Amino acid sequence: MRSPPMSKHCKLIVQAFCSSKDFVRYQRLVFRHKLYQLREERDMKPETFASLVSAIIYEKRFGPYLCQPVIAGLGEDDKPFICTMDSIGAKELAKDFVVSGTASESLYGACEAMYKPDMEAEELFETISQALLSSVDRDCLSGWGGHVYVVTPRRLKRGS
């Protein structure tokens, strides 16, 4: 799913059910992010943004958004931050990779087999692409293809 970056070094991707389009439109997220920027006079760190998304999802816990957001970004000293959540906002933090969606079981296997620490951006992009394609091929509910985003200190790279 396509989504605009929330800040220079933070990206939110949401895998959502069609009835959860209110969350996908980002109206509340963008509003709260801009309020934070006005009050603090700086962009949100990815960790802070993950807490904001978690709180917004938890507000709807009795009639939840049917979504699984993935937040990726660069924090202090360009340290990578990745996080995913369930439908009531419980965060799952990891240092290597997170997965989300209907093919998450096969994605875990492919990512564990292909991931190596300290990869360069191009190698990481290729590894993510191959893991995604091999996992989607094993799950008929996952759709066809995907988008890969790599966040670096200089830019946000997107590929299909």
Side-chain angles (χ1 to χ4, degrees), residues 122-142:
E122 292 299 320
E123 184 183 9
L124 182 62
F125 179 81
E126 189 62 33
T127 301
I128 294 168
S129 300
Q130 291 302 318
L132 180 65
L133 289 176
S134 66
S135 298
V136 167
D137 287 345
R138 295 174 183 257
D139 184 17
C140 65
L141 300 175
S142 294

Side-chain angles (χ1 to χ4, degrees), residues 78-143:
D78 293 332
K79 182 181 173 198
F81 174 82
I82 51 176
C83 171
T84 187
M85 295 169 207
D86 63 7
S87 62
I88 62 167
K91 291 189 280 189
E92 179 185 338
L93 304 170
K95 294 184 179 176
D96 44 10
F97 60 86
V98 295
V99 299
S100 176
T102 57
S104 60
E105 291 86 8
S106 57
L107 271 169
Y108 270 117
C111 290
E112 286 174 351
M114 296 181 185
Y115 177 78
K116 298 179 293 188
D118 302 323
M119 285 195 249
E120 295 295 322
E122 292 299 320
E123 184 183 9
L124 182 62
F125 179 81
E126 189 62 33
T127 301
I128 294 168
S129 300
Q130 291 302 318
L132 180 65
L133 289 176
S134 66
S135 298
V136 167
D137 287 345
R138 295 174 183 257
D139 184 17
C140 65
L141 300 175
S142 294

Side-chain angles (χ1 to χ4, degrees), residues 6 22-35 44 49 52-53 55-60 65:
M6 292 309 288
D22 290 338
F23 182 79
V24 178
R25 287 189 199 130
Y26 301 110
Q27 293 170 350
R28 295 174 70 191
L29 289 173
V30 170
F31 174 72
R32 290 191 184 180
H33 186 258
K34 288 183 180 181
L35 278 178
M44 271 191 200
F49 185 67
L52 171 67
V53 173
I56 288 174
I57 294 174
Y58 189 71
E59 288 174 358
K60 291 284 209 175
Y65 293 115

